[in-house]
Amino acid sequence: MTKDITFSRRTFTKAALALCGTAVTTATPLRYALGADPLKIGLILPYSGVYANFGEGITNGFEFALKKRGGQIAGRPVQVIKGDDQLDPKVGSEVAQKIVTRDNVDLVVGTVGSNVLPVLQKICTDNNKPLIVPTAAGNDTTRVQCHPLVFRVSHSNWQMTSPAGAWLFKRGAKRVMTMGMNYATGKEEVIAFSDEFKKAGGEIIDQKWPGLKELDYQAYFADVLAKQPDAMFTFFAGSNAVEFVKQYAQAGLKERVPLFGAAYLTDSTLLAAQGSAADGVITSGHYAPSLDNAANKKFLADFKQATGKDGDINSMHGHDSVEVVALGLEKTKGDIKDSAGLSQALQKVEFASPRGPFRFSRARNPIQNIYAIEAKGGQLRVIETIQKDVEDPTAECKV
Amino acid sequence: MQLSTFLIQLLNGLQYGMLLFLIASGLTLTFGVMGIINLAHGAFFMIGAYLVFQFARIYEWPLPLACASAIVAVVVLGSIVERAVLAPLVDRDHLDQVLVTYGLILIFDELAVVLWGKDVHAAEIPAMLRGSVHISDMIVYPVYRLALAGAGLVCAIGLYLIVAKTRIGMIVRAGSHDRSMVSALGINVGPVFALVFGLGAALAALAGILAAPILSVSPGMGDKIIIIAFVVVVIGGIGSIKGAFVGALLVGLFDSFGKVLFPTVSSLVIYALMALILVWRPNGLFGKAA
């Protein structure tokens, strides 16, 4: 009896599945018959949570770059399917499963959080889909975790701050204190700086790691006054960066211990909120809207005209993600099925990015310039190039 | 620890404690008197900060007017929430209240995103409170933070006088002790609830306004602080204003000294404090026995 029921249930399920299958296969050609075979891109980003402004900025740049290309890449119309990973690996995994396997996109652009990236990368590479990473900066992505189908458009954490180590020592800082948000990115960025600073001959007198939910940094500042370092090097991002920079200035510390950090500290989206507290803060990074090059001027002017907004680091990342995909696919004539060929084509992409010359390293992380950027009067000014063609170490990448 | 570091941390702890007290007092009052766990209390904190940003920075109203309007607006909003959403929940299970008020957090956070976007905003410190006091070469302290501590202390004293010396305060104290007995004595508890809730919302909004220049004004800013406010309420004993005051000072002091003495585990210090106090006094320092 039981056997009978299971049998009939199974048959029913099979029948239902078969029915669905026919429905899908008959529906697909109808939809596709309307135009050339569309290129389906999954755009998986945090649209809610603390890094929601990153998701929004990247999407603006992404959509602008697509529009600039007439909504087509390598002659194929582009269909974009968006997903909100909420900066949560569990949510990100579900969204990626849906977009990669059910919507069956051709490639994925995502994401921002280094915590979400590993699950996203696994789902994409398991399904043989190229993944273009617009921001998540964990070093491992293009080191031990590197994969022929995973390309990063932004930077590695190491890349952003390590050139600043020797640079700050040369500027005359001998004893430096560091502070960084207590999570993977904060640690990687601050440690990359500290290692190079020590190698150059400097001394790190103290390292502090406030939590992500920290509201009030005042309690850390007494120690800064007592130890009198020559400079303070930091990693803070988002609303934490606004709070830190303001409180540092309010405590009267900025005049006594000059403040340095990774570029996210005074990101152009935060400057208005930081106000005069950010004046004189110097950061190291790969992009600032004031960069003086033709590609950047054109990007900012066209972006402003198309969207009415000012371009920033996030819209630049969104824009460059589309450029990388477009230039790569033009080489394969729009073919996305031959993944080895596609990987090679993407690897060879080279172009004049708004940030300066862009090409990929062997591990598929950009080789790019790192600049010293000073905030003043609500603007970011590039004061000098700290180091040209900075390449994240590729030794750990075996494929 | 040097004497100067000790003094600065003492100031920091007191000042942070005062800010926490403003939020925790409203939370403990609503729970003590109405028996409602209001997770959305942090939203009033956030909305207070956003409104003062809107009125003072965008509309460029004079600051006192901007602050007063923001508080009034939050009290009106709080009263609507209390009448429409929370009043029907008074006799329901705490789990229902937690679910509904958690839903309110999501709604208010999303509302902030719709109205003001996902960007991080900030309010400026008023000109007369800028700068820092040089107590000695090693002790430099921002004037605004001293003002913040002062404002918190004034509110604490005012609240103490209301609760300890007035008739309303007597009803509130009695209500937090035994709600059904108060209504049995012929006191209409409805208006008292509304008053208490409005007061709590006003205090949270005030805390948001005072904190806006040092914190960032961003969606979800209330969620960070509400967790610590709950720790304060639990340590002090649920429903006790005195408990909220002592709890807030303890949390403030432990937090700021923890960051210097135990930097690696500083984020755990206040939770360890809470656990220890609960072992010693399961109902908090000034809580009534269950």
Side-chain angles (χ1 to χ4, degrees), chain B residues 9 34 41 48 55 95 102 104 119-120 130 169 196 206 229 275 277:
Chain B
Q9 291 311 75
M34 302 169 69
H41 196 67
F55 295 155
L95 184 62
Y102 182 69
L104 285 177
D119 289 339
V120 181
R130 278 180 210 157
V196 164
L206 180 67
I277 286 183

Side-chain angles (χ1 to χ4, degrees), chain A residues 47 52-53 56 212-216 218-220 222 225-226 239-240 242-243 246-247 250-252 256 270 272-273, chain B residues 2 8-9 12 118 120-123 125 137-138 140-142 145 212-216 218 224-225 256 259 266:
Chain A
Y47 290 106
N53 62 331
E56 207 170 56
L212 289 177
K213 296 218 177 229
E214 190 63 71
L215 285 163
D216 196 353
Q218 180 73 23
Y220 293 101
L225 275 175
S239 58
N240 295 64
V242 173
E243 283 148 15
K246 278 170 65 183
Q247 292 172 15
Q250 285 166 9
R256 296 165 164 241
L270 306 177
Chain B
Q2 287 169 313
I8 288 193
Q9 291 311 75
N12 285 335
K118 287 168 183 171
V120 181
H121 303 287
I125 291 183
D137 199 39
M138 296 301 279
V140 185
Y141 209 76
R145 289 190 178 251
I214 39 177
L215 306 183
S216 63
S218 52
K224 274 187 189 173
I225 205 151
S256 55
K259 280 170 185 164
S266 63

Side-chain angles (χ1 to χ4, degrees), chain B residues 27-47:
Chain B
L27 204 59
T28 205
L29 273 179
T30 35
F31 189 85
V33 178
M34 302 169 69
I36 281 199
I37 299 178
N38 181 20
L39 291 182
H41 196 67
F44 298 140
F45 172 81
M46 173 185 77
I47 295 168

Side-chain angles (χ1 to χ4, degrees), chain A residues 109-348:
Chain A
V109 173
T111 182
V112 173
S114 303
N115 55 341
V116 183
L117 189 62
V119 289
L120 182 59
Q121 171 164 351
K122 177 149 196 335
I123 292 168
C124 288
T125 52
D126 282 355
N127 289 285
N128 218 17
K129 308 284 187 198
L131 172 65
I132 311 293
V133 183
T135 292
N139 289 338
D140 281 352
T141 305
T142 51
R143 292 188 185 175
V144 284
Q145 301 287 332
C146 78
H147 188 282
L149 285 175
V150 178
F151 292 82
R152 175 151 56 199
V153 171
S154 52
H155 61 88
S156 70
N157 285 324
W158 180 91
Q159 198 173 26
M160 193 145 193
T161 52
S162 82
W167 179 80
L168 193 58
F169 184 77
K170 249 188 279 163
R171 262 180 85 100
K174 306 291 174 239
R175 298 166 67 248
V176 166
M177 194 187 246
T178 70
M179 269 177 91
M181 287 162 80
N182 195 3
Y183 75 122
T185 305
K187 293 233 154 156
E188 285 188 349
E189 298 241 359
V190 170
I191 287 169
F193 162 83
S194 315
D195 285 351
E196 292 303 310
F197 185 73
K198 281 188 271 189
K199 252 187 240 165
E203 185 196 351
I204 301 287
I205 57 171
D206 199 359
Q207 301 201 288
K208 297 191 185 296
W209 306 103
L212 289 177
K213 296 218 177 229
E214 190 63 71
L215 285 163
D216 196 353
Y217 300 97
Q218 180 73 23
Y220 293 101
F221 293 157
D223 223 22
V224 183
L225 275 175
K227 290 181 177 156
Q228 296 283 340
D230 298 331
M232 168 70 95
F233 191 90
T234 60
F235 178 89
F236 290 96
S239 58
N240 295 64
V242 173
E243 283 148 15
F244 180 81
V245 168
K246 278 170 65 183
Q247 292 172 15
Y248 196 81
Q250 285 166 9
L253 276 173
K254 210 173 65 179
E255 293 74 27
R256 296 165 164 241
V257 183
L259 180 58
F260 296 85
Y264 292 103
L265 184 68
T266 53
D267 182 303
S268 57
T269 57
L270 306 177
L271 279 179
Q274 288 166 335
S276 61
D279 284 352
V281 176
I282 298 176
T283 56
S284 72
H286 62 311
Y287 180 72
S290 71
L291 261 180
D292 189 17
N293 68 55
N296 189 37
K297 283 186 179 139
K298 185 165 166 30
F299 164 69
L300 291 177
D302 293 353
F303 186 75
K304 178 93 185 175
Q305 206 191 0
T307 63
K309 297 188 178 91
D310 291 318
D312 58 27
I313 193 167
N314 295 319
S315 45
M316 184 277 282
H317 284 155
H319 168 269
D320 281 7
S321 301
V322 172
E323 290 302 296
V324 164
V325 172
L327 295 171
L329 282 188
E330 273 163 17
K331 288 194 181 122
T332 68
K333 308 226 166 9
D335 176 25
I336 202 131
K337 301 294 172 240
D338 168 22
S339 56
L342 180 64
S343 172
Q344 274 175 12
L346 285 168
Q347 176 97 57
K348 290 200 191 97

Side-chain angles (χ1 to χ4, degrees), chain A residues 363-377:
Chain A
R364 293 160 290 271
N365 187 63
I367 297 176
Q368 57 194 338
N369 300 342
I370 296 296
Y371 309 98
I373 302 158
E374 186 181 12
K376 194 148 260 173

